[in-house]
Amino acid sequence: GASPTVYAAAIGADSPAGIADKWALAQSSPVEPREVDAADAPVKEVKILGDDVVSSGGVDAFPVTVTNPGSDASAYFSAPVWITKDPETGVYNAGTYRVMVKAADRLGISMLSGQDGRAHWEKARAAGRPLEAVLILSPPPALSLCSVNKLDISEYNAAGAINGAPLELVKAETVDLLIPAAAEIAIEGRFRTDILEREGPFGEFGGYVGAQDYQLVFEVTAITHRKSPVLQAFISEMPPSESSCMRKAGFEGFHMAELRPKVPNLKKVTYFEMGGSAQSLAITLHEPGPGEAWEALRAAASARNMPVNKWIIAVDDDIDAEDLDSVLDRKS
Protein backbone atom coordinates (compact mmCIF):
# COMPACT_ATOMS: atom_id res chain seq x y z
CA GLY A 1 0.00 0.00 0.00
CA ALA A 2 2.97 2.35 -0.25
CA SER A 3 1.66 3.81 -3.55
CA PRO A 4 -0.74 2.93 -6.39
CA THR A 5 2.28 1.75 -8.41
CA VAL A 6 3.38 -0.65 -5.67
CA TYR A 7 -0.21 -1.84 -5.28
CA ALA A 8 -0.43 -2.51 -9.02
CA ALA A 9 2.75 -4.58 -8.89
CA ALA A 10 1.38 -6.61 -5.96
CA ILE A 11 -1.82 -7.37 -7.84
CA GLY A 12 -0.05 -8.21 -11.12
CA ALA A 13 -1.23 -5.15 -13.06
CA ASP A 14 1.08 -3.29 -15.44
CA SER A 15 0.07 0.09 -14.00
CA PRO A 16 -2.47 1.61 -11.58
CA ALA A 17 -4.88 1.97 -14.52
CA GLY A 18 -5.20 -1.81 -14.64
CA ILE A 19 -6.15 -2.34 -10.98
CA ALA A 20 -9.93 -2.09 -11.48
CA ASP A 21 -9.84 -4.65 -14.30
CA LYS A 22 -7.89 -7.04 -12.08
CA TRP A 23 -10.55 -6.76 -9.38
CA ALA A 24 -13.31 -7.27 -11.92
CA LEU A 25 -11.57 -10.45 -13.09
CA ALA A 26 -11.14 -11.65 -9.49
CA GLN A 27 -14.89 -11.45 -8.90
CA SER A 28 -16.14 -12.67 -12.28
CA SER A 29 -13.68 -15.56 -12.78
CA PRO A 30 -12.69 -16.93 -9.34
CA VAL A 31 -10.13 -19.73 -9.12
CA GLU A 32 -10.59 -22.48 -6.54
CA PRO A 33 -7.59 -23.08 -4.23
CA ARG A 34 -5.77 -26.41 -4.10
CA GLU A 35 -4.47 -28.35 -1.11
CA VAL A 36 -0.80 -29.33 -0.79
CA ASP A 37 1.07 -31.61 1.61
CA ALA A 38 2.67 -30.17 4.74
CA ALA A 39 6.08 -31.18 3.38
CA ASP A 40 5.56 -28.71 0.52
CA ALA A 41 4.36 -25.84 2.72
CA PRO A 42 6.99 -23.27 3.84
CA VAL A 43 4.73 -22.19 6.72
CA LYS A 44 5.27 -25.66 8.28
CA GLU A 45 9.07 -25.47 8.53
CA VAL A 46 8.83 -24.77 12.30
CA LYS A 47 6.00 -26.11 14.47
CA ILE A 48 5.30 -25.01 18.05
CA LEU A 49 2.53 -27.01 19.72
CA GLY A 50 0.95 -27.55 23.13
CA ASP A 51 2.87 -26.34 26.18
CA ASP A 52 5.73 -25.21 23.93
CA VAL A 53 3.64 -22.24 22.80
CA VAL A 54 4.09 -20.46 26.13
CA SER A 55 7.56 -21.81 27.01
CA SER A 56 8.92 -20.66 23.61
CA GLY A 57 7.60 -17.14 24.12
CA GLY A 58 4.64 -17.69 21.84
CA VAL A 59 3.35 -14.52 20.23
CA ASP A 60 5.80 -12.46 22.28
CA ALA A 61 8.69 -14.11 20.43
CA PHE A 62 7.87 -12.01 17.35
CA PRO A 63 8.97 -8.35 17.09
CA VAL A 64 5.47 -6.88 17.27
CA THR A 65 5.63 -3.10 17.21
CA VAL A 66 3.70 -0.38 18.97
CA THR A 67 2.16 1.11 15.85
CA ASN A 68 1.03 4.43 17.33
CA PRO A 69 3.14 5.37 20.37
CA GLY A 70 1.17 7.42 22.86
CA SER A 71 -2.25 6.02 21.99
CA ASP A 72 -2.05 2.22 21.59
CA ALA A 73 -2.76 0.06 24.63
CA SER A 74 -0.26 -2.60 23.58
CA ALA A 75 1.77 -3.89 20.68
CA TYR A 76 -0.46 -4.64 17.67
CA PHE A 77 -0.23 -6.69 14.50
CA SER A 78 -1.18 -4.04 11.94
CA ALA A 79 -1.35 -6.30 8.85
CA PRO A 80 -3.21 -9.40 10.09
CA VAL A 81 -5.17 -11.80 7.90
CA TRP A 82 -7.73 -13.81 9.87
CA ILE A 83 -8.87 -17.10 8.36
CA THR A 84 -12.28 -18.36 9.49
CA LYS A 85 -14.93 -20.65 8.03
CA ASP A 86 -18.69 -20.17 8.08
CA PRO A 87 -19.96 -22.77 10.60
CA GLU A 88 -23.07 -23.38 8.46
CA THR A 89 -21.85 -23.21 4.85
CA GLY A 90 -18.14 -23.99 5.19
CA VAL A 91 -17.22 -20.98 3.01
CA TYR A 92 -13.85 -19.47 3.96
CA ASN A 93 -13.25 -15.82 4.76
CA ALA A 94 -10.01 -13.85 5.05
CA GLY A 95 -10.43 -10.57 6.90
CA THR A 96 -8.14 -7.93 8.36
CA TYR A 97 -9.06 -7.03 11.95
CA ARG A 98 -6.65 -5.37 14.37
CA VAL A 99 -4.82 -7.67 16.81
CA MET A 100 -3.77 -6.62 20.31
CA VAL A 101 -1.07 -8.70 22.02
CA LYS A 102 -2.23 -9.63 25.53
CA ALA A 103 -0.03 -12.61 26.41
CA ALA A 104 2.14 -15.25 24.81
CA ASP A 105 -0.97 -17.32 24.09
CA ARG A 106 -3.80 -14.75 24.09
CA LEU A 107 -4.82 -11.97 21.71
CA GLY A 108 -7.55 -9.33 21.63
CA ILE A 109 -9.32 -8.67 18.33
CA SER A 110 -11.61 -5.86 17.20
CA MET A 111 -14.12 -7.60 14.94
CA LEU A 112 -17.26 -5.53 14.38
CA SER A 113 -20.85 -6.38 13.51
CA GLY A 114 -21.32 -6.54 9.74
CA GLN A 115 -17.87 -8.01 9.11
CA ASP A 116 -17.80 -11.56 7.75
CA GLY A 117 -15.55 -12.88 10.51
CA ARG A 118 -17.92 -11.51 13.15
CA ALA A 119 -20.85 -13.22 11.42
CA HIS A 120 -18.96 -16.52 11.70
CA TRP A 121 -18.35 -15.85 15.40
CA GLU A 122 -22.04 -15.08 16.00
CA LYS A 123 -23.03 -18.39 14.38
CA ALA A 124 -20.51 -20.31 16.51
CA ARG A 125 -21.78 -18.57 19.64
CA ALA A 126 -25.38 -19.48 18.77
CA ALA A 127 -24.24 -23.10 18.45
CA GLY A 128 -22.55 -22.94 21.86
CA ARG A 129 -19.00 -23.58 20.69
CA PRO A 130 -15.83 -21.54 20.08
CA LEU A 131 -14.87 -20.38 16.58
CA GLU A 132 -11.71 -21.90 15.14
CA ALA A 133 -9.44 -19.43 13.38
CA VAL A 134 -5.89 -18.89 12.21
CA LEU A 135 -4.04 -15.56 12.22
CA ILE A 136 -1.91 -15.42 9.07
CA LEU A 137 1.01 -13.01 8.87
CA SER A 138 2.77 -12.10 5.63
CA PRO A 139 0.84 -14.28 3.15
CA PRO A 140 1.09 -13.91 -0.65
CA PRO A 141 0.29 -10.26 -1.54
CA ALA A 142 -2.93 -11.06 -3.42
CA LEU A 143 -4.50 -12.56 -0.29
CA SER A 144 -3.52 -9.56 1.85
CA LEU A 145 -5.19 -7.22 -0.64
CA CYS A 146 -8.30 -9.41 -0.85
CA SER A 147 -8.44 -9.45 2.95
CA VAL A 148 -8.87 -5.67 3.19
CA ASN A 149 -11.34 -5.44 0.30
CA LYS A 150 -15.11 -6.01 0.20
CA LEU A 151 -15.91 -9.13 -1.82
CA ASP A 152 -18.96 -11.26 -2.52
CA ILE A 153 -16.86 -14.44 -2.85
CA SER A 154 -14.24 -16.24 -0.77
CA GLU A 155 -10.98 -14.33 -0.65
CA TYR A 156 -9.16 -17.60 -1.41
CA ASN A 157 -10.90 -17.82 -4.79
CA ALA A 158 -10.40 -14.13 -5.56
CA ALA A 159 -6.67 -14.37 -4.75
CA GLY A 160 -6.37 -17.32 -7.13
CA ALA A 161 -7.91 -15.29 -9.93
CA ILE A 162 -5.57 -12.38 -9.28
CA ASN A 163 -2.55 -14.69 -9.28
CA GLY A 164 -3.72 -16.60 -12.34
CA ALA A 165 -3.20 -19.86 -10.46
CA PRO A 166 -4.87 -21.64 -7.52
CA LEU A 167 -3.82 -20.42 -4.07
CA GLU A 168 -2.01 -23.29 -2.35
CA LEU A 169 -3.46 -24.28 1.03
CA VAL A 170 -2.35 -26.70 3.74
CA LYS A 171 -4.09 -28.20 6.77
CA ALA A 172 -3.62 -26.41 10.10
CA GLU A 173 -2.18 -28.41 13.02
CA THR A 174 -4.79 -27.96 15.75
CA VAL A 175 -7.93 -26.59 14.04
CA ASP A 176 -10.00 -27.80 11.11
CA LEU A 177 -8.96 -25.11 8.63
CA LEU A 178 -6.92 -24.85 5.45
CA ILE A 179 -4.40 -22.00 5.47
CA PRO A 180 -2.04 -20.40 2.91
CA ALA A 181 0.93 -22.73 2.50
CA ALA A 182 3.30 -19.92 1.48
CA ALA A 183 2.60 -17.64 4.45
CA GLU A 184 5.46 -16.63 6.71
CA ILE A 185 3.66 -17.19 10.04
CA ALA A 186 0.43 -18.92 11.16
CA ILE A 187 -0.99 -18.57 14.68
CA GLU A 188 -3.74 -21.14 15.31
CA GLY A 189 -6.42 -21.12 17.96
CA ARG A 190 -10.02 -20.45 18.89
CA PHE A 191 -12.15 -17.40 19.56
CA ARG A 192 -13.99 -17.81 22.82
CA THR A 193 -17.73 -17.26 22.54
CA ASP A 194 -18.50 -17.31 26.27
CA ILE A 195 -16.62 -14.15 27.31
CA LEU A 196 -15.40 -10.81 25.98
CA GLU A 197 -12.47 -8.71 27.21
CA ARG A 198 -11.46 -5.07 26.98
CA GLU A 199 -9.51 -4.26 23.81
CA GLY A 200 -7.95 -1.00 22.60
CA PRO A 201 -7.48 1.90 22.31
CA PHE A 202 -5.62 1.91 18.98
CA GLY A 203 -4.68 4.70 16.56
CA GLU A 204 -6.99 3.80 13.67
CA PHE A 205 -6.87 4.28 9.89
CA GLY A 206 -9.05 7.40 9.87
CA GLY A 207 -6.58 9.39 11.92
CA TYR A 208 -8.51 9.01 15.17
CA VAL A 209 -8.04 6.69 18.13
CA GLY A 210 -10.35 3.69 18.08
CA ALA A 211 -11.99 3.46 21.48
CA GLN A 212 -11.52 0.76 24.07
CA ASP A 213 -14.42 -1.68 24.13
CA TYR A 214 -15.35 -5.26 25.00
CA GLN A 215 -14.16 -7.41 22.13
CA LEU A 216 -13.23 -10.96 21.12
CA VAL A 217 -10.60 -13.11 22.83
CA PHE A 218 -8.39 -15.50 20.87
CA GLU A 219 -6.57 -18.34 22.64
CA VAL A 220 -3.51 -19.70 20.82
CA THR A 221 -3.12 -23.47 20.37
CA ALA A 222 -0.20 -23.62 17.91
CA ILE A 223 2.26 -21.51 15.95
CA THR A 224 3.93 -22.55 12.70
CA HIS A 225 6.30 -20.47 10.58
CA ARG A 226 9.17 -20.42 8.14
CA LYS A 227 12.66 -20.90 9.56
CA SER A 228 13.50 -17.22 9.08
CA PRO A 229 10.07 -15.57 8.94
CA VAL A 230 9.47 -12.03 7.74
CA LEU A 231 6.88 -10.11 9.76
CA GLN A 232 5.00 -7.67 7.55
CA ALA A 233 3.24 -4.56 8.81
CA PHE A 234 1.68 -1.51 7.23
CA ILE A 235 1.21 2.05 8.39
CA SER A 236 -2.38 2.86 9.37
CA GLU A 237 -2.68 6.39 10.64
CA MET A 238 -3.75 9.89 9.55
CA PRO A 239 -4.60 9.61 5.82
CA PRO A 240 -3.03 9.36 3.37
CA SER A 241 -1.24 6.23 4.57
CA GLU A 242 -0.70 2.67 3.42
CA SER A 243 -4.08 1.50 4.70
CA SER A 244 -6.02 4.28 2.94
CA CYS A 245 -4.15 3.57 -0.31
CA MET A 246 -5.05 -0.13 -0.05
CA ARG A 247 -8.69 0.66 0.64
CA LYS A 248 -8.84 3.18 -2.20
CA ALA A 249 -7.61 0.77 -4.86
CA GLY A 250 -9.57 -2.22 -3.60
CA PHE A 251 -12.85 -0.39 -3.00
CA GLU A 252 -12.63 1.28 -6.42
CA GLY A 253 -12.26 -2.14 -8.02
CA PHE A 254 -15.18 -3.54 -6.01
CA HIS A 255 -17.48 -0.68 -6.97
CA MET A 256 -16.49 -0.78 -10.64
CA ALA A 257 -17.48 -4.44 -10.76
CA GLU A 258 -20.75 -3.65 -8.95
CA LEU A 259 -21.74 -0.69 -11.12
CA ARG A 260 -20.67 -1.77 -14.62
CA PRO A 261 -23.79 -3.91 -15.24
CA LYS A 262 -26.07 -1.15 -13.90
CA VAL A 263 -24.52 2.07 -15.26
CA PRO A 264 -24.04 2.01 -19.07
CA ASN A 265 -21.87 5.14 -19.30
CA LEU A 266 -19.68 4.48 -16.26
CA LYS A 267 -16.06 5.51 -16.77
CA LYS A 268 -14.44 5.15 -13.33
CA VAL A 269 -14.99 5.15 -9.58
CA THR A 270 -12.71 7.22 -7.35
CA TYR A 271 -12.38 6.94 -3.58
CA PHE A 272 -10.84 9.83 -1.65
CA GLU A 273 -8.22 9.02 0.95
CA MET A 274 -9.62 11.53 3.41
CA GLY A 275 -11.54 9.50 5.97
CA GLY A 276 -9.37 6.51 5.17
CA SER A 277 -10.99 5.82 1.76
CA ALA A 278 -14.14 4.72 3.53
CA GLN A 279 -16.33 7.83 3.60
CA SER A 280 -16.54 9.48 0.17
CA LEU A 281 -16.31 8.59 -3.52
CA ALA A 282 -16.95 10.04 -6.97
CA ILE A 283 -18.53 8.27 -9.93
CA THR A 284 -17.31 9.51 -13.32
CA LEU A 285 -19.75 9.24 -16.23
CA HIS A 286 -19.29 9.83 -19.97
CA GLU A 287 -22.30 11.55 -21.52
CA PRO A 288 -24.84 9.94 -19.16
CA GLY A 289 -28.45 9.55 -20.21
CA PRO A 290 -31.33 11.24 -18.39
CA GLY A 291 -31.49 10.06 -14.77
CA GLU A 292 -28.39 7.87 -15.12
CA ALA A 293 -26.39 9.89 -12.58
CA TRP A 294 -29.11 9.36 -9.96
CA GLU A 295 -29.25 5.65 -10.76
CA ALA A 296 -25.46 5.43 -10.35
CA LEU A 297 -25.62 7.17 -6.99
CA ARG A 298 -28.38 4.86 -5.75
CA ALA A 299 -26.55 1.75 -6.96
CA ALA A 300 -23.34 2.81 -5.24
CA ALA A 301 -25.14 3.62 -2.00
CA SER A 302 -26.86 0.22 -1.92
CA ALA A 303 -23.87 -1.95 -2.86
CA ARG A 304 -23.44 -4.91 -0.50
CA ASN A 305 -20.72 -4.52 2.13
CA MET A 306 -20.39 -0.78 1.54
CA PRO A 307 -22.76 0.99 3.96
CA VAL A 308 -20.21 3.47 5.30
CA ASN A 309 -20.03 6.12 2.57
CA LYS A 310 -21.33 9.55 3.59
CA TRP A 311 -20.64 11.40 0.32
CA ILE A 312 -21.27 9.91 -3.14
CA ILE A 313 -20.84 12.36 -6.01
CA ALA A 314 -21.45 11.89 -9.75
CA VAL A 315 -19.37 13.96 -12.19
CA ASP A 316 -18.91 14.23 -15.94
CA ASP A 317 -15.62 13.00 -17.34
CA ASP A 318 -14.35 16.52 -18.04
CA ILE A 319 -13.76 16.68 -14.27
CA ASP A 320 -10.60 15.06 -12.91
CA ALA A 321 -12.10 12.95 -10.13
CA GLU A 322 -8.69 12.42 -8.53
CA ASP A 323 -8.57 16.17 -7.85
CA LEU A 324 -10.92 16.70 -4.91
CA ASP A 325 -10.83 20.48 -5.37
CA SER A 326 -12.22 20.09 -8.89
CA VAL A 327 -14.94 17.71 -7.73
CA LEU A 328 -16.10 20.04 -4.95
CA ASP A 329 -15.72 23.34 -6.84
CA ARG A 330 -19.26 24.56 -7.51
CA LYS A 331 -18.07 26.50 -10.57
CA SER A 332 -16.82 23.32 -12.30
Side-chain angles (χ1 to χ4, degrees), residues 268-272 280-284 311-315 321 327:
K268 65 182 292 190
V269 173
T270 304
Y271 266 84
F272 303 109
S280 55
L281 70 147
I283 301 170
T284 301
W311 291 75
I312 306 176
I313 306 165
V315 297
V327 172

Side-chain angles (χ1 to χ4, degrees), residues 48 56-65 75 77 101 137 184-187 223-226 229 231:
I48 306 170
S56 69
V59 177
D60 285 334
F62 299 106
V64 193
T65 60
F77 291 107
V101 177
L137 301 169
E184 297 283 327
I185 303 165
I187 301 174
I223 298 174
T224 67
H225 61 80
R226 294 175 183 247
L231 178 59

Side-chain angles (χ1 to χ4, degrees), residues 141-214:
L143 185 62
S144 289
L145 298 179
C146 287
S147 177
V148 300
N149 204 351
K150 301 291 187 181
L151 300 172
D152 292 324
I153 60 175
S154 172
E155 285 77 7
Y156 279 170
N157 297 13
I162 290 170
N163 287 334
L167 187 69
E168 293 187 341
L169 306 178
V170 65
K171 285 187 174 69
E173 297 293 319
T174 58
V175 294
D176 183 24
L177 292 171
L178 293 171
I179 62 173
E184 297 283 327
I185 303 165
I187 301 174
E188 303 178 13
R190 295 172 178 84
F191 284 110
R192 294 187 61 167
T193 55
D194 58 335
I195 65 166
L196 300 174
E197 287 184 353
R198 299 287 277 182
E199 183 274 342
F202 177 74
E204 270 287 3
F205 69 90
Y208 298 90
V209 175
Q212 187 181 75
D213 198 1
Y214 284 100

Side-chain angles (χ1 to χ4, degrees), residues 24-89:
L25 174 67
Q27 296 174 91
S28 64
S29 304
V31 176
E32 292 278 344
R34 72 181 185 92
E35 187 176 343
V36 300
D37 293 332
D40 299 321
V43 75
K44 297 290 188 178
E45 289 176 352
V46 176
K47 299 179 184 180
I48 306 170
L49 310 173
D51 294 339
D52 291 341
V53 170
V54 174
S55 63
S56 69
V59 177
D60 285 334
F62 299 106
V64 193
T65 60
V66 176
T67 307
N68 305 283
S71 66
D72 296 357
S74 178
Y76 272 80
F77 291 107
S78 67
V81 176
W82 282 100
I83 305 300
T84 58
K85 186 167 59 174
D86 190 307
E88 296 175 355
T89 67

